């Protein structure tokens, strides 16, 4: 397998301020994500690279025409029905809504906030792969430091963890990207890509909107809007020289353990 870049975005209701005690109107939850999503789509079109969008059914039903248009070019996967709540039935319900709307066979799932869910439920709902695990230690969130670091099968379900470096498991996710120098992110990305032959990366469209007015920790909103988009463009432009961008579904179909 050549070196592959799996780029993804979690398209969801912008509800992270509620984690920090700030009430936010339902309308604003969608508008902030939409602002960032539009900016991301322009950038991807400019760079001509593939990506997978893990999307809540709630967001897709709010902007159906946009999602239908996105599905003509990008893979759509499930991010649950709502971002703020989850019931096991949401696995099938969200898959059905997204499939009917986009015409795609929805084969991928990512749990909101990367919360743990038994693989058997995801497999039983008809998904082919699951990308809900960050195999590192994140204080206050999860401790997956000793779980598998790279892709592996659980029965017929392929788990595609978020990429972390070998050895110290430095996470290559959105918070690292915001808060560490870009040269360090590139170094860690290249090290991991050379070792694993692929990178699994994820961001949220709301990171590329203006979120400075919200009561969020500095490490969450340190970069936003144009500044964050500019950094992403520089990173993706560099990544294009390191490997081939493919969708998660394509990676699942190619993967051999």
């Amino acid at each position: 397998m050549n070196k592959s870049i799996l780029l993804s975005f979690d398209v969801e209701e912008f509800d992270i301020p509620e984690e920090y005690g700030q009430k936010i109107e339902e309308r604003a939850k969608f508008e902030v994500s939409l602002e960032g999503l539009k900016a991301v789509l322009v950038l991807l079109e400019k760079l001509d690279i593939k990506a997978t969008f893990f999307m809540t059914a709630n967001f897709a039903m709010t902007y159906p025409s946009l999602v239908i248009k996105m599905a003509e070019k990008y893979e759509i996967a499930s991010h649950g029905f709502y971002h703020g709540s989850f019931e096991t039935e949401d696995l099938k319900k969200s898959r059905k809504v997204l499939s009917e709307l986009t015409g795609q066979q929805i084969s991928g799932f990512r749990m909101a906030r990367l919360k743990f869910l038994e693989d058997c439920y995801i497999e039983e709902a008809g998904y082919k792969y699951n990308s809900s695990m960050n195999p590192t230690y994140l204080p206050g969130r999860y401790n997956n430091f000793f779980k598998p670091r790279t892709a592996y099968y659980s029965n017929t379900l392929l788990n595609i963890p978020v990429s972390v470096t070998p050895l110290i498991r430095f996470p290559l996710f959105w918070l690292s990207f915001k808060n560490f120098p870009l040269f360090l992110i590139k170094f860690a990305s290249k090290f991991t890509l050379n070792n694993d032959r692929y990178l699994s990366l994820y961001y949220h469209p709301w990171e590329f909107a203006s979120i400075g007015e919200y009561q969020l920790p500095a490490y969450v909103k340190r970069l936003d809007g144009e500044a964050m988009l500019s950094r992403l463009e520089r990173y993706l432009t560099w990544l294009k020289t390191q490997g081939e961008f493919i969708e998660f579904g394509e990676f699942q179909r190619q993967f051999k353990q």
Side-chain angles (χ1 to χ4, degrees):
M1 184 173 67
N2 295 324
K3 295 177 185 175
S4 301
I5 315 294
L6 284 63
L7 174 66
S8 66
F9 297 87
D10 290 357
V11 186
E12 62 201 32
E13 302 89 298
F14 175 64
D15 59 1
I16 189 171
E18 294 181 342
E19 291 186 51
Y20 299 95
Q22 183 182 7
K23 285 281 188 180
I24 179 169
E25 294 181 3
E26 287 297 307
R27 175 182 54 80
K29 291 180 182 178
F30 291 100
E31 290 180 349
V32 171
S33 285
L34 180 63
E35 176 190 337
L37 178 58
K38 288 181 175 178
V40 165
L41 290 173
V42 170
L43 178 60
L44 296 184
E45 183 72 22
K46 176 181 176 181
L47 298 180
D48 190 26
I49 55 179
K50 295 180 178 178
T52 297
F53 290 86
F54 291 84
M55 185 175 295
T56 65
N58 195 25
F59 187 93
M61 292 189 298
T62 304
Y63 301 107
S65 58
L66 173 63
V67 176
I68 291 170
K69 188 72 175 175
M70 289 172 62
E72 294 175 359
K73 185 163 186 178
Y74 303 106
E75 179 187 12
I76 305 298
S78 173
H79 197 36
F81 207 96
Y82 302 103
H83 196 255
S85 63
F86 175 78
E87 296 178 349
T88 306
E89 293 75 16
D90 291 345
L91 289 166
K92 289 184 178 178
K93 287 169 56 182
S94 63
R95 185 164 179 259
K96 183 173 185 293
V97 167
L98 293 170
S99 180
E100 289 178 349
L101 186 61
T102 65
Q104 292 188 10
Q105 293 293 320
I106 306 301
S107 59
F109 177 76
R110 177 175 290 151
M111 188 70 174
R113 297 185 174 87
L114 303 189
K115 290 182 178 177
F116 175 76
L117 179 66
E118 294 282 358
D119 286 342
C120 59
Y121 296 114
I122 302 170
E123 184 180 20
E124 195 275 331
Y127 294 97
K128 300 295 184 184
Y129 70 87
N130 173 34
S131 183
S132 303
M133 199 257 288
N134 193 359
T136 190
Y137 172 54
L138 194 65
R141 285 283 188 180
Y142 41 74
N143 185 2
N144 298 322
F145 195 88
F146 295 103
K147 292 186 177 179
R149 193 181 62 79
T150 56
Y152 65 98
Y153 270 107
S154 175
N155 292 319
T156 63
L157 184 74
L158 181 65
N159 278 283
I160 310 174
V162 177
S163 282
V164 298
T165 64
L167 304 177
I168 64 170
R169 296 199 173 203
F170 176 79
L172 293 166
F173 73 147
W174 64 282
L175 275 175
S176 303
F177 187 77
K178 276 178 179 278
N179 291 286
F180 287 90
L182 189 55
F183 77 85
L184 178 62
I185 298 298
K186 288 181 177 178
F187 174 82
S189 298
K190 189 164 188 172
F191 178 45
T192 306
L193 187 59
N194 287 340
N195 188 84
D196 300 343
R197 312 299 295 176
Y198 76 93
L199 286 178
S200 170
L201 310 169
Y202 84 100
Y203 302 88
H204 311 86
W206 53 258
E207 297 171 55
F208 307 94
S210 300
I211 57 173
E213 66 184 271
Y214 294 99
Q215 296 170 15
L216 296 168
Y219 60 82
V220 173
K221 62 179 184 180
R222 177 176 170 270
L223 288 179
D224 68 347
E226 287 293 330
M228 185 67 174
L229 195 67
S230 175
R231 170 173 277 221
L232 184 67
E233 180 173 359
R234 282 179 281 149
Y235 180 52
L236 297 182
T237 300
W238 172 78
L239 275 178
K240 285 184 71 175
T241 67
Q242 305 299 310
E244 179 186 4
F245 282 81
I246 67 172
E247 296 171 340
F248 276 65
E250 186 178 352
F251 179 83
Q252 178 266 320
R253 291 188 294 273
Q254 294 178 357
F255 185 81
K256 295 178 181 177
Q257 198 162 32

